[in-house]
Amino acid sequence: MIAKNTDLTKISTGAKLTRAERVDAELRHLAAMNHAKLRAAQADHQRRGISPRVAIGCAHIPAAVAQTFAYIKVA
């Protein structure tokens, strides 16, 4: 079976993926790698006692900045 975060370009299935499917698979793979790297960095920061300067969600955001990012799709 396919393991989590497996690079689909290295698996021979006998079926050809479309370009869109290959791009989607590559983006999912990169997103998983980035998430793993982020978690590793956060664990390293926690071991070293480094914390964010401002607690997330507690800082004031200027109206001009809030308007710019108000309609960006996150998911």
Side-chain angles (χ1 to χ4, degrees), residues 40-54:
Q42 287 176 339
D44 182 50
H45 290 173
Q46 189 174 19
R47 275 194 307 274
R48 294 168 51 197
I50 299 173
S51 61
R53 292 182 190 161
V54 177

Side-chain angles (χ1 to χ4, degrees), residues 1-2 4 10-11 16-19 22 25-28 33 36 38-39 41 47 55 57-59 63 66-67 71 75:
M1 231 34 237
I2 297 174
K4 185 178 179 189
K10 307 292 186 222
I11 297 174
K16 296 219 179 224
L17 296 175
T18 65
R19 178 169 168 69
R22 279 187 275 133
E26 184 175 348
L27 288 175
R28 287 176 186 263
M33 286 176 45
L38 174 65
R39 292 291 175 225
R47 275 194 307 274
C58 295
Q67 288 174 351
Y71 298 104

